[in-house]
Amino acid sequence: MTELKGALIGCGFFAVNQMHAWNDVRGASIVAICDRDPERLKVVGDQFGIARRYGDAEALFADGGFDFVDIATTVQSHRTLVEMAARNKVPAICQKPFAKTLSDAKAMVEACRNAGIPLMVHENFRWQTPIQAVRNALEADAIGTPFWGRFSFRSAYDVFSGQPYLAEGERFIIEDLGIHTLDIARYILGDVRSLTARTKRVNPRIKGEDVATILLDHENGATSVVDVSYATKLSREPFPETLIELDGSEGTIRLTQGYGLQVTNAKGTTTTDVSPRLLSWASRPWHNIQESVYAIQQHWVDQLARGAEHSTSGADNLKTFALVEAAYDSAARGQTIDVGAML
Ligand code: NAD
Ligand code: 89V
């Protein structure tokens, strides 16, 4: 395989994971980095031995010499940078949340489609080993047709120390974390017809909501609940595990805390350890997320080589992003939202 050359924009908290993962990915490496903060540029450039460094994305694209761009900035700059990639005809990966609004997200997908460049959203949670294990069990017909699900992320982990901006936005848990949980619900039970949500802010030191309960009507007739909280103090902190319950016509699946996968059907119950690997550069409890970063970046390269659509392409992510917008709208108006009408 010819080695693809990548450029990474945004050398902050999470980009360090992406840089480590690029070192492990077969078929690609990062040749240039960009950050408007000179200190972050130096820290990441020195840590990963990257000589080509830019303080301005326009200058990075003007110099070129790379086959794709990995946008790891926060949401405010995503539209500008994705459209810059499209103008320069450079395939792009963009971190979640993909955009500030659904209409921005649609414009970004359109810009890349018109430019003829692949666009993937770095929506990595569906690539976690335990989530893949649930999907594989369903695909192996372990429980027949699923009719009900619960996708749950309840924690009191201090995410604000690493990502202080999470305490400052009008929107918090649905936009930052629930977006992953909603994507997992779509990945496991399919697209969503309508949605009803309720939100709450429990932590008085943050601006946005830190608790959300969302009811999803899936197109295939299944019903699911997505419940997320950063205000849940438990005896054993589960961060960053998503717990899953699925009931099907022939049995049940439970993804339990500590990465246990329990499948019950006519043959009895099997329990499997579906723990993520601890990659050489990873650290607990983040290793589950870190492994999925490696997996999604490898998927980016593999699909580019095949000329095939990415699992979390920009077009696919519009359907997850619509759920985020619908959840805020539903909570604000106390109404059920027709998701199909938004797309
Ligand atoms: P951060 O604030 O630590 O880092 C962002 C960096 O981008 C900063 O260094 C900033 O200077 C730089 N930047 C911003 N705009 C720029 C521009 N126009 N040009 C050049 N540099 C620019 O943020 P973070 O915590 O690393 O989060 C980055 C993104 O990653 C967010 O969208 C966040 O939601 C996402 N994230 C994803 C996961 C995941 O598992 N997928 C986990 C954590 C964070
Ligand atoms: O995955 C994320 O987007 C992170 C966190 C797990 C802390 O919510 O922001």
Side-chain angles (χ1 to χ4, degrees), residues 9-15 34-37 40 57 72-75 77-78 81 95-97 122 124-125 163 165 176 180 286 289:
I9 308 178
C11 299
F13 168 78
F14 201 69
C34 170
D35 199 299
R36 60 186 179 196
D37 175 348
R40 289 306 308 168
T73 59
T74 43
V75 68
S77 52
H78 287 177
L81 294 173
Q95 256 297 350
K96 51 60 64 178
H122 188 121
N124 50 320
F125 271 39
Q163 297 164 264
Y165 58 90
D176 182 67
H180 293 305
W286 286 84
I289 292 177

PDB file of all heavy atoms in Angstrom, residues 9-15 34-37 40 57 72-75 77-78 81 95-97 122 124-125 163 165 176 180 286 289, ligand 1:
ATOM      1  N   ILE A   9      -4.935  19.392  11.787  1.00  0.00           N
ATOM      2  CA  ILE A   9      -5.198  20.774  12.250  1.00  0.00           C
ATOM      3  C   ILE A   9      -5.854  20.708  13.620  1.00  0.00           C
ATOM      4  O   ILE A   9      -6.901  20.058  13.783  1.00  0.00           O
ATOM      5  CB  ILE A   9      -6.124  21.541  11.272  1.00  0.00           C
ATOM      6  CG1 ILE A   9      -5.601  21.469   9.844  1.00  0.00           C
ATOM      7  CG2 ILE A   9      -6.282  22.994  11.731  1.00  0.00           C
ATOM      8  CD1 ILE A   9      -6.492  22.169   8.813  1.00  0.00           C
ATOM      9  N   GLY A  10      -5.253  21.385  14.605  1.00  0.00           N
ATOM     10  CA  GLY A  10      -5.786  21.381  15.973  1.00  0.00           C
ATOM     11  C   GLY A  10      -4.980  20.418  16.819  1.00  0.00           C
ATOM     12  O   GLY A  10      -5.196  19.206  16.755  1.00  0.00           O
ATOM     13  N   CYS A  11      -4.040  20.957  17.597  1.00  0.00           N
ATOM     14  CA  CYS A  11      -3.119  20.109  18.376  1.00  0.00           C
ATOM     15  C   CYS A  11      -3.465  20.168  19.861  1.00  0.00           C
ATOM     16  O   CYS A  11      -2.574  20.318  20.704  1.00  0.00           O
ATOM     17  CB  CYS A  11      -1.687  20.586  18.145  1.00  0.00           C
ATOM     18  SG  CYS A  11      -1.187  20.474  16.426  1.00  0.00           S
ATOM     19  N   GLY A  12      -4.736  20.033  20.187  1.00  0.00           N
ATOM     20  CA  GLY A  12      -5.158  20.179  21.575  1.00  0.00           C
ATOM     21  C   GLY A  12      -5.211  18.872  22.341  1.00  0.00           C
ATOM     22  O   GLY A  12      -4.517  17.898  22.024  1.00  0.00           O
ATOM     23  N   PHE A  13      -6.076  18.845  23.351  1.00  0.00           N
ATOM     24  CA  PHE A  13      -6.226  17.719  24.279  1.00  0.00           C
ATOM     25  C   PHE A  13      -6.410  16.388  23.554  1.00  0.00           C
ATOM     26  O   PHE A  13      -5.690  15.423  23.804  1.00  0.00           O
ATOM     27  CB  PHE A  13      -7.447  18.014  25.181  1.00  0.00           C
ATOM     28  CG  PHE A  13      -7.923  16.860  25.994  1.00  0.00           C
ATOM     29  CD1 PHE A  13      -7.246  16.491  27.146  1.00  0.00           C
ATOM     30  CD2 PHE A  13      -9.048  16.147  25.623  1.00  0.00           C
ATOM     31  CE1 PHE A  13      -7.692  15.419  27.916  1.00  0.00           C
ATOM     32  CE2 PHE A  13      -9.503  15.077  26.380  1.00  0.00           C
ATOM     33  CZ  PHE A  13      -8.824  14.715  27.529  1.00  0.00           C
ATOM     34  N   PHE A  14      -7.370  16.319  22.636  1.00  0.00           N
ATOM     35  CA  PHE A  14      -7.698  15.003  22.064  1.00  0.00           C
ATOM     36  C   PHE A  14      -6.795  14.634  20.894  1.00  0.00           C
ATOM     37  O   PHE A  14      -6.576  13.450  20.616  1.00  0.00           O
ATOM     38  CB  PHE A  14      -9.172  14.954  21.632  1.00  0.00           C
ATOM     39  CG  PHE A  14      -9.660  13.540  21.536  1.00  0.00           C
ATOM     40  CD1 PHE A  14      -9.819  12.762  22.671  1.00  0.00           C
ATOM     41  CD2 PHE A  14      -9.925  12.964  20.302  1.00  0.00           C
ATOM     42  CE1 PHE A  14     -10.228  11.434  22.600  1.00  0.00           C
ATOM     43  CE2 PHE A  14     -10.340  11.646  20.214  1.00  0.00           C
ATOM     44  CZ  PHE A  14     -10.497  10.874  21.363  1.00  0.00           C
ATOM     45  N   ALA A  15      -6.240  15.637  20.212  1.00  0.00           N
ATOM     46  CA  ALA A  15      -5.405  15.374  19.034  1.00  0.00           C
ATOM     47  C   ALA A  15      -4.205  14.496  19.361  1.00  0.00           C
ATOM     48  O   ALA A  15      -3.684  13.779  18.497  1.00  0.00           O
ATOM     49  CB  ALA A  15      -4.947  16.695  18.431  1.00  0.00           C
ATOM     50  N   CYS A  34      -0.915  21.840  12.292  1.00  0.00           N
ATOM     51  CA  CYS A  34      -1.299  23.248  12.327  1.00  0.00           C
ATOM     52  C   CYS A  34      -2.052  23.524  13.618  1.00  0.00           C
ATOM     53  O   CYS A  34      -2.917  22.731  14.022  1.00  0.00           O
ATOM     54  CB  CYS A  34      -2.205  23.520  11.114  1.00  0.00           C
ATOM     55  SG  CYS A  34      -3.002  25.136  11.137  1.00  0.00           S
ATOM     56  N   ASP A  35      -1.716  24.613  14.290  1.00  0.00           N
ATOM     57  CA  ASP A  35      -2.518  25.100  15.416  1.00  0.00           C
ATOM     58  C   ASP A  35      -2.258  26.585  15.542  1.00  0.00           C
ATOM     59  O   ASP A  35      -1.121  27.043  15.390  1.00  0.00           O
ATOM     60  CB  ASP A  35      -2.152  24.374  16.721  1.00  0.00           C
ATOM     61  CG  ASP A  35      -3.257  24.509  17.770  1.00  0.00           C
ATOM     62  OD1 ASP A  35      -3.571  25.662  18.164  1.00  0.00           O
ATOM     63  OD2 ASP A  35      -3.819  23.489  18.174  1.00  0.00           O
ATOM     64  N   ARG A  36      -3.312  27.327  15.833  1.00  0.00           N
ATOM     65  CA  ARG A  36      -3.102  28.786  15.954  1.00  0.00           C
ATOM     66  C   ARG A  36      -2.437  29.131  17.282  1.00  0.00           C
ATOM     67  O   ARG A  36      -1.990  30.254  17.474  1.00  0.00           O
ATOM     68  CB  ARG A  36      -4.419  29.517  15.763  1.00  0.00           C
ATOM     69  CG  ARG A  36      -5.473  29.139  16.764  1.00  0.00           C
ATOM     70  CD  ARG A  36      -6.797  29.767  16.446  1.00  0.00           C
ATOM     71  NE  ARG A  36      -7.774  29.332  17.450  1.00  0.00           N
ATOM     72  CZ  ARG A  36      -9.069  29.441  17.315  1.00  0.00           C
ATOM     73  NH1 ARG A  36      -9.581  29.953  16.212  1.00  0.00           N
ATOM     74  NH2 ARG A  36      -9.879  29.039  18.261  1.00  0.00           N
ATOM     75  N   ASP A  37      -2.372  28.149  18.198  1.00  0.00           N
ATOM     76  CA  ASP A  37      -1.700  28.360  19.486  1.00  0.00           C
ATOM     77  C   ASP A  37      -0.265  27.818  19.372  1.00  0.00           C
ATOM     78  O   ASP A  37      -0.053  26.601  19.272  1.00  0.00           O
ATOM     79  CB  ASP A  37      -2.488  27.613  20.570  1.00  0.00           C
ATOM     80  CG  ASP A  37      -1.813  27.660  21.934  1.00  0.00           C
ATOM     81  OD1 ASP A  37      -0.638  28.070  22.009  1.00  0.00           O
ATOM     82  OD2 ASP A  37      -2.467  27.259  22.921  1.00  0.00           O
ATOM     83  N   ARG A  40       0.824  24.877  21.736  1.00  0.00           N
ATOM     84  CA  ARG A  40       0.297  23.541  21.406  1.00  0.00           C
ATOM     85  C   ARG A  40       1.036  22.977  20.181  1.00  0.00           C
ATOM     86  O   ARG A  40       1.315  21.790  20.083  1.00  0.00           O
ATOM     87  CB  ARG A  40      -1.209  23.590  21.125  1.00  0.00           C
ATOM     88  CG  ARG A  40      -2.083  23.826  22.323  1.00  0.00           C
ATOM     89  CD  ARG A  40      -1.852  22.849  23.460  1.00  0.00           C
ATOM     90  NE  ARG A  40      -1.920  21.457  23.059  1.00  0.00           N
ATOM     91  CZ  ARG A  40      -1.525  20.430  23.813  1.00  0.00           C
ATOM     92  NH1 ARG A  40      -1.015  20.653  25.005  1.00  0.00           N
ATOM     93  NH2 ARG A  40      -1.633  19.193  23.386  1.00  0.00           N
ATOM     94  N   ALA A  57      -4.229  27.718   8.891  1.00  0.00           N
ATOM     95  CA  ALA A  57      -4.641  26.616   8.023  1.00  0.00           C
ATOM     96  C   ALA A  57      -4.538  26.984   6.537  1.00  0.00           C
ATOM     97  O   ALA A  57      -4.209  26.134   5.704  1.00  0.00           O
ATOM     98  CB  ALA A  57      -6.066  26.183   8.374  1.00  0.00           C
ATOM     99  N   ALA A  72      -8.993  18.385  13.944  1.00  0.00           N
ATOM    100  CA  ALA A  72      -9.186  18.000  15.345  1.00  0.00           C
ATOM    101  C   ALA A  72      -9.395  19.231  16.224  1.00  0.00           C
ATOM    102  O   ALA A  72      -9.079  19.213  17.414  1.00  0.00           O
ATOM    103  CB  ALA A  72      -7.980  17.193  15.826  1.00  0.00           C
ATOM    104  N   THR A  73      -9.936  20.279  15.619  1.00  0.00           N
ATOM    105  CA  THR A  73     -10.248  21.495  16.381  1.00  0.00           C
ATOM    106  C   THR A  73     -11.632  21.344  17.020  1.00  0.00           C
ATOM    107  O   THR A  73     -12.357  20.387  16.729  1.00  0.00           O
ATOM    108  CB  THR A  73     -10.272  22.719  15.445  1.00  0.00           C
ATOM    109  OG1 THR A  73     -11.274  22.481  14.442  1.00  0.00           O
ATOM    110  CG2 THR A  73      -8.933  22.919  14.756  1.00  0.00           C
ATOM    111  N   THR A  74     -12.019  22.296  17.856  1.00  0.00           N
ATOM    112  CA  THR A  74     -13.382  22.291  18.410  1.00  0.00           C
ATOM    113  C   THR A  74     -14.359  22.813  17.338  1.00  0.00           C
ATOM    114  O   THR A  74     -13.954  23.348  16.310  1.00  0.00           O
ATOM    115  CB  THR A  74     -13.451  23.145  19.700  1.00  0.00           C
ATOM    116  OG1 THR A  74     -12.706  24.342  19.484  1.00  0.00           O
ATOM    117  CG2 THR A  74     -12.879  22.401  20.882  1.00  0.00           C
ATOM    118  N   VAL A  75     -15.648  22.661  17.633  1.00  0.00           N
ATOM    119  CA  VAL A  75     -16.683  22.795  16.606  1.00  0.00           C
ATOM    120  C   VAL A  75     -16.715  24.164  15.891  1.00  0.00           C
ATOM    121  O   VAL A  75     -17.063  24.236  14.709  1.00  0.00           O
ATOM    122  CB  VAL A  75     -18.078  22.464  17.213  1.00  0.00           C
ATOM    123  CG1 VAL A  75     -18.516  23.516  18.226  1.00  0.00           C
ATOM    124  CG2 VAL A  75     -19.124  22.255  16.140  1.00  0.00           C
ATOM    125  N   SER A  77     -14.673  25.986  14.458  1.00  0.00           N
ATOM    126  CA  SER A  77     -13.907  26.145  13.204  1.00  0.00           C
ATOM    127  C   SER A  77     -14.202  25.038  12.183  1.00  0.00           C
ATOM    128  O   SER A  77     -13.630  25.054  11.091  1.00  0.00           O
ATOM    129  CB  SER A  77     -12.404  26.142  13.535  1.00  0.00           C
ATOM    130  OG  SER A  77     -12.100  25.006  14.325  1.00  0.00           O
ATOM    131  N   HIS A  78     -15.082  24.081  12.509  1.00  0.00           N
ATOM    132  CA  HIS A  78     -15.237  22.928  11.612  1.00  0.00           C
ATOM    133  C   HIS A  78     -15.731  23.308  10.215  1.00  0.00           C
ATOM    134  O   HIS A  78     -15.201  22.829   9.217  1.00  0.00           O
ATOM    135  CB  HIS A  78     -16.181  21.879  12.243  1.00  0.00           C
ATOM    136  CG  HIS A  78     -15.542  21.125  13.384  1.00  0.00           C
ATOM    137  ND1 HIS A  78     -16.207  20.193  14.130  1.00  0.00           N
ATOM    138  CD2 HIS A  78     -14.278  21.172  13.894  1.00  0.00           C
ATOM    139  CE1 HIS A  78     -15.392  19.695  15.059  1.00  0.00           C
ATOM    140  NE2 HIS A  78     -14.223  20.284  14.934  1.00  0.00           N
ATOM    141  N   LEU A  81     -13.008  25.035   8.135  1.00  0.00           N
ATOM    142  CA  LEU A  81     -11.880  24.164   7.768  1.00  0.00           C
ATOM    143  C   LEU A  81     -12.307  23.075   6.781  1.00  0.00           C
ATOM    144  O   LEU A  81     -11.555  22.741   5.856  1.00  0.00           O
ATOM    145  CB  LEU A  81     -11.244  23.566   9.025  1.00  0.00           C
ATOM    146  CG  LEU A  81     -10.554  24.599   9.938  1.00  0.00           C
ATOM    147  CD1 LEU A  81     -10.103  23.959  11.245  1.00  0.00           C
ATOM    148  CD2 LEU A  81      -9.361  25.257   9.235  1.00  0.00           C
ATOM    149  N   GLN A  95     -13.597  16.129  13.324  1.00  0.00           N
ATOM    150  CA  GLN A  95     -14.032  15.678  14.654  1.00  0.00           C
ATOM    151  C   GLN A  95     -15.525  15.958  14.858  1.00  0.00           C
ATOM    152  O   GLN A  95     -16.108  16.806  14.201  1.00  0.00           O
ATOM    153  CB  GLN A  95     -13.227  16.396  15.751  1.00  0.00           C
ATOM    154  CG  GLN A  95     -12.165  15.553  16.406  1.00  0.00           C
ATOM    155  CD  GLN A  95     -12.705  14.315  17.159  1.00  0.00           C
ATOM    156  OE1 GLN A  95     -13.906  14.138  17.376  1.00  0.00           O
ATOM    157  NE2 GLN A  95     -11.804  13.442  17.540  1.00  0.00           N
ATOM    158  N   LYS A  96     -16.120  15.226  15.795  1.00  0.00           N
ATOM    159  CA  LYS A  96     -17.463  15.537  16.256  1.00  0.00           C
ATOM    160  C   LYS A  96     -17.380  16.638  17.295  1.00  0.00           C
ATOM    161  O   LYS A  96     -16.291  16.795  17.858  1.00  0.00           O
ATOM    162  CB  LYS A  96     -18.182  14.307  16.809  1.00  0.00           C
ATOM    163  CG  LYS A  96     -17.415  13.508  17.855  1.00  0.00           C
ATOM    164  CD  LYS A  96     -16.987  14.146  19.133  1.00  0.00           C
ATOM    165  CE  LYS A  96     -18.040  14.639  20.088  1.00  0.00           C
ATOM    166  NZ  LYS A  96     -17.426  15.205  21.358  1.00  0.00           N
ATOM    167  N   PRO A  97     -18.413  17.394  17.661  1.00  0.00           N
ATOM    168  CA  PRO A  97     -19.608  17.515  16.859  1.00  0.00           C
ATOM    169  C   PRO A  97     -19.246  18.137  15.515  1.00  0.00           C
ATOM    170  O   PRO A  97     -18.519  19.126  15.445  1.00  0.00           O
ATOM    171  CB  PRO A  97     -20.511  18.422  17.683  1.00  0.00           C
ATOM    172  CG  PRO A  97     -19.672  19.007  18.758  1.00  0.00           C
ATOM    173  CD  PRO A  97     -18.389  18.274  18.837  1.00  0.00           C
ATOM    174  N   HIS A 122     -15.190  12.042  12.565  1.00  0.00           N
ATOM    175  CA  HIS A 122     -14.474  11.213  13.548  1.00  0.00           C
ATOM    176  C   HIS A 122     -15.465  10.860  14.668  1.00  0.00           C
ATOM    177  O   HIS A 122     -15.360  11.350  15.784  1.00  0.00           O
ATOM    178  CB  HIS A 122     -13.261  11.977  14.084  1.00  0.00           C
ATOM    179  CG  HIS A 122     -12.368  11.144  14.945  1.00  0.00           C
ATOM    180  ND1 HIS A 122     -11.043  10.914  14.677  1.00  0.00           N
ATOM    181  CD2 HIS A 122     -12.615  10.448  16.070  1.00  0.00           C
ATOM    182  CE1 HIS A 122     -10.522  10.146  15.600  1.00  0.00           C
ATOM    183  NE2 HIS A 122     -11.467   9.854  16.479  1.00  0.00           N
ATOM    184  N   ASN A 124     -16.112   8.093  16.663  1.00  0.00           N
ATOM    185  CA  ASN A 124     -15.358   6.872  16.929  1.00  0.00           C
ATOM    186  C   ASN A 124     -16.039   5.869  17.850  1.00  0.00           C
ATOM    187  O   ASN A 124     -15.641   4.709  17.914  1.00  0.00           O
ATOM    188  CB  ASN A 124     -13.991   7.245  17.524  1.00  0.00           C
ATOM    189  CG  ASN A 124     -14.114   8.222  18.683  1.00  0.00           C
ATOM    190  OD1 ASN A 124     -14.926   9.145  18.644  1.00  0.00           O
ATOM    191  ND2 ASN A 124     -13.332   8.039  19.710  1.00  0.00           N
ATOM    192  N   PHE A 125     -17.087   6.295  18.611  1.00  0.00           N
ATOM    193  CA  PHE A 125     -17.603   5.396  19.647  1.00  0.00           C
ATOM    194  C   PHE A 125     -18.133   4.083  19.065  1.00  0.00           C
ATOM    195  O   PHE A 125     -18.022   3.036  19.691  1.00  0.00           O
ATOM    196  CB  PHE A 125     -18.680   6.082  20.505  1.00  0.00           C
ATOM    197  CG  PHE A 125     -18.116   6.820  21.705  1.00  0.00           C
ATOM    198  CD1 PHE A 125     -16.928   7.545  21.630  1.00  0.00           C
ATOM    199  CD2 PHE A 125     -18.787   6.807  22.924  1.00  0.00           C
ATOM    200  CE1 PHE A 125     -16.418   8.237  22.729  1.00  0.00           C
ATOM    201  CE2 PHE A 125     -18.287   7.483  24.031  1.00  0.00           C
ATOM    202  CZ  PHE A 125     -17.109   8.201  23.940  1.00  0.00           C
ATOM    203  N   GLN A 163     -11.110  19.106  29.475  1.00  0.00           N
ATOM    204  CA  GLN A 163     -11.818  19.843  28.416  1.00  0.00           C
ATOM    205  C   GLN A 163     -12.651  20.962  29.062  1.00  0.00           C
ATOM    206  O   GLN A 163     -13.881  20.857  29.147  1.00  0.00           O
ATOM    207  CB  GLN A 163     -12.722  18.885  27.634  1.00  0.00           C
ATOM    208  CG  GLN A 163     -11.965  17.794  26.893  1.00  0.00           C
ATOM    209  CD  GLN A 163     -12.894  16.652  26.474  1.00  0.00           C
ATOM    210  OE1 GLN A 163     -13.004  15.650  27.155  1.00  0.00           O
ATOM    211  NE2 GLN A 163     -13.567  16.815  25.350  1.00  0.00           N
ATOM    212  N   TYR A 165     -13.738  23.745  28.132  1.00  0.00           N
ATOM    213  CA  TYR A 165     -14.790  24.356  27.311  1.00  0.00           C
ATOM    214  C   TYR A 165     -16.138  23.649  27.484  1.00  0.00           C
ATOM    215  O   TYR A 165     -17.189  24.218  27.201  1.00  0.00           O
ATOM    216  CB  TYR A 165     -14.382  24.373  25.828  1.00  0.00           C
ATOM    217  CG  TYR A 165     -14.082  22.996  25.251  1.00  0.00           C
ATOM    218  CD1 TYR A 165     -15.075  22.223  24.671  1.00  0.00           C
ATOM    219  CD2 TYR A 165     -12.789  22.466  25.290  1.00  0.00           C
ATOM    220  CE1 TYR A 165     -14.804  20.958  24.158  1.00  0.00           C
ATOM    221  CE2 TYR A 165     -12.503  21.216  24.793  1.00  0.00           C
ATOM    222  CZ  TYR A 165     -13.513  20.468  24.226  1.00  0.00           C
ATOM    223  OH  TYR A 165     -13.245  19.206  23.719  1.00  0.00           O
ATOM    224  N   ASP A 176     -22.015  16.920  23.270  1.00  0.00           N
ATOM    225  CA  ASP A 176     -20.648  16.399  23.386  1.00  0.00           C
ATOM    226  C   ASP A 176     -20.598  14.875  23.503  1.00  0.00           C
ATOM    227  O   ASP A 176     -19.784  14.227  22.851  1.00  0.00           O
ATOM    228  CB  ASP A 176     -19.944  17.011  24.611  1.00  0.00           C
ATOM    229  CG  ASP A 176     -18.517  16.504  24.703  1.00  0.00           C
ATOM    230  OD1 ASP A 176     -17.718  16.856  23.813  1.00  0.00           O
ATOM    231  OD2 ASP A 176     -18.215  15.718  25.618  1.00  0.00           O
ATOM    232  N   HIS A 180     -22.477  10.696  20.678  1.00  0.00           N
ATOM    233  CA  HIS A 180     -21.905   9.357  20.492  1.00  0.00           C
ATOM    234  C   HIS A 180     -22.951   8.286  20.795  1.00  0.00           C
ATOM    235  O   HIS A 180     -23.066   7.290  20.080  1.00  0.00           O
ATOM    236  CB  HIS A 180     -20.747   9.122  21.470  1.00  0.00           C
ATOM    237  CG  HIS A 180     -19.519   9.955  21.268  1.00  0.00           C
ATOM    238  ND1 HIS A 180     -18.833  10.013  20.087  1.00  0.00           N
ATOM    239  CD2 HIS A 180     -18.824  10.732  22.141  1.00  0.00           C
ATOM    240  CE1 HIS A 180     -17.760  10.794  20.242  1.00  0.00           C
ATOM    241  NE2 HIS A 180     -17.738  11.242  21.474  1.00  0.00           N
ATOM    242  N   TRP A 286      -9.289   5.695  29.657  1.00  0.00           N
ATOM    243  CA  TRP A 286      -9.549   6.200  28.299  1.00  0.00           C
ATOM    244  C   TRP A 286      -9.261   5.166  27.211  1.00  0.00           C
ATOM    245  O   TRP A 286      -9.521   5.400  26.035  1.00  0.00           O
ATOM    246  CB  TRP A 286      -8.691   7.444  28.056  1.00  0.00           C
ATOM    247  CG  TRP A 286      -9.203   8.655  28.784  1.00  0.00           C
ATOM    248  CD1 TRP A 286      -8.950   9.000  30.080  1.00  0.00           C
ATOM    249  CD2 TRP A 286     -10.079   9.673  28.268  1.00  0.00           C
ATOM    250  NE1 TRP A 286      -9.603  10.176  30.395  1.00  0.00           N
ATOM    251  CE2 TRP A 286     -10.302  10.609  29.304  1.00  0.00           C
ATOM    252  CE3 TRP A 286     -10.683   9.890  27.033  1.00  0.00           C
ATOM    253  CZ2 TRP A 286     -11.104  11.739  29.142  1.00  0.00           C
ATOM    254  CZ3 TRP A 286     -11.480  11.018  26.864  1.00  0.00           C
ATOM    255  CH2 TRP A 286     -11.682  11.923  27.915  1.00  0.00           C
ATOM    256  N   ILE A 289     -11.813   4.400  24.448  1.00  0.00           N
ATOM    257  CA  ILE A 289     -11.936   5.456  23.437  1.00  0.00           C
ATOM    258  C   ILE A 289     -10.682   5.475  22.562  1.00  0.00           C
ATOM    259  O   ILE A 289     -10.754   5.583  21.327  1.00  0.00           O
ATOM    260  CB  ILE A 289     -12.151   6.819  24.131  1.00  0.00           C
ATOM    261  CG1 ILE A 289     -13.525   6.865  24.816  1.00  0.00           C
ATOM    262  CG2 ILE A 289     -11.982   7.962  23.150  1.00  0.00           C
ATOM    263  CD1 ILE A 289     -13.808   8.137  25.595  1.00  0.00           C
TER     264      ILE A 289
HETATM  265  P1  NAD B   1      -8.837  21.653  22.550  1.00  0.00           P
HETATM  266  O1  NAD B   1      -9.434  22.984  22.781  1.00  0.00           O
HETATM  267  O2  NAD B   1      -7.988  21.045  23.608  1.00  0.00           O
HETATM  268  O3  NAD B   1      -7.986  21.633  21.203  1.00  0.00           O
HETATM  269  C1  NAD B   1      -8.386  22.296  20.032  1.00  0.00           C
HETATM  270  C2  NAD B   1      -7.137  22.890  19.400  1.00  0.00           C
HETATM  271  O4  NAD B   1      -7.506  23.414  18.120  1.00  0.00           O
HETATM  272  C3  NAD B   1      -6.545  24.033  20.201  1.00  0.00           C
HETATM  273  O5  NAD B   1      -5.160  23.789  20.419  1.00  0.00           O
HETATM  274  C4  NAD B   1      -6.778  25.275  19.338  1.00  0.00           C
HETATM  275  O6  NAD B   1      -5.766  26.236  19.446  1.00  0.00           O
HETATM  276  C5  NAD B   1      -6.839  24.656  17.947  1.00  0.00           C
HETATM  277  N1  NAD B   1      -7.631  25.434  16.971  1.00  0.00           N
HETATM  278  C6  NAD B   1      -8.915  25.857  17.096  1.00  0.00           C
HETATM  279  N2  NAD B   1      -9.308  26.472  15.975  1.00  0.00           N
HETATM  280  C7  NAD B   1      -8.267  26.459  15.124  1.00  0.00           C
HETATM  281  C8  NAD B   1      -8.065  26.920  13.794  1.00  0.00           C
HETATM  282  N3  NAD B   1      -9.027  27.552  13.126  1.00  0.00           N
HETATM  283  N4  NAD B   1      -6.868  26.700  13.218  1.00  0.00           N
HETATM  284  C9  NAD B   1      -5.887  26.061  13.886  1.00  0.00           C
HETATM  285  N5  NAD B   1      -6.015  25.605  15.143  1.00  0.00           N
HETATM  286  C10 NAD B   1      -7.186  25.785  15.755  1.00  0.00           C
HETATM  287  O7  NAD B   1     -10.064  20.694  22.204  1.00  0.00           O
HETATM  288  P2  NAD B   1     -10.118  19.089  22.333  1.00  0.00           P
HETATM  289  O8  NAD B   1     -10.594  18.732  23.681  1.00  0.00           O
HETATM  290  O9  NAD B   1      -8.875  18.506  21.808  1.00  0.00           O
HETATM  291  O10 NAD B   1     -11.336  18.782  21.341  1.00  0.00           O
HETATM  292  C11 NAD B   1     -11.197  18.895  19.946  1.00  0.00           C
HETATM  293  C12 NAD B   1     -12.390  18.222  19.283  1.00  0.00           C
HETATM  294  O11 NAD B   1     -12.334  16.834  19.607  1.00  0.00           O
HETATM  295  C13 NAD B   1     -13.746  18.713  19.812  1.00  0.00           C
HETATM  296  O12 NAD B   1     -14.621  18.861  18.719  1.00  0.00           O
HETATM  297  C14 NAD B   1     -14.205  17.617  20.769  1.00  0.00           C
HETATM  298  O13 NAD B   1     -15.612  17.470  20.833  1.00  0.00           O
HETATM  299  C15 NAD B   1     -13.582  16.411  20.122  1.00  0.00           C
HETATM  300  N6  NAD B   1     -13.358  15.286  21.044  1.00  0.00           N
HETATM  301  C16 NAD B   1     -13.659  14.062  20.564  1.00  0.00           C
HETATM  302  C17 NAD B   1     -13.493  12.950  21.340  1.00  0.00           C
HETATM  303  C18 NAD B   1     -13.848  11.617  20.761  1.00  0.00           C
HETATM  304  O14 NAD B   1     -13.782  10.599  21.417  1.00  0.00           O
HETATM  305  N7  NAD B   1     -14.229  11.568  19.490  1.00  0.00           N
HETATM  306  C19 NAD B   1     -12.993  13.077  22.651  1.00  0.00           C
HETATM  307  C20 NAD B   1     -12.644  14.349  23.103  1.00  0.00           C
HETATM  308  C21 NAD B   1     -12.819  15.460  22.278  1.00  0.00           C
END
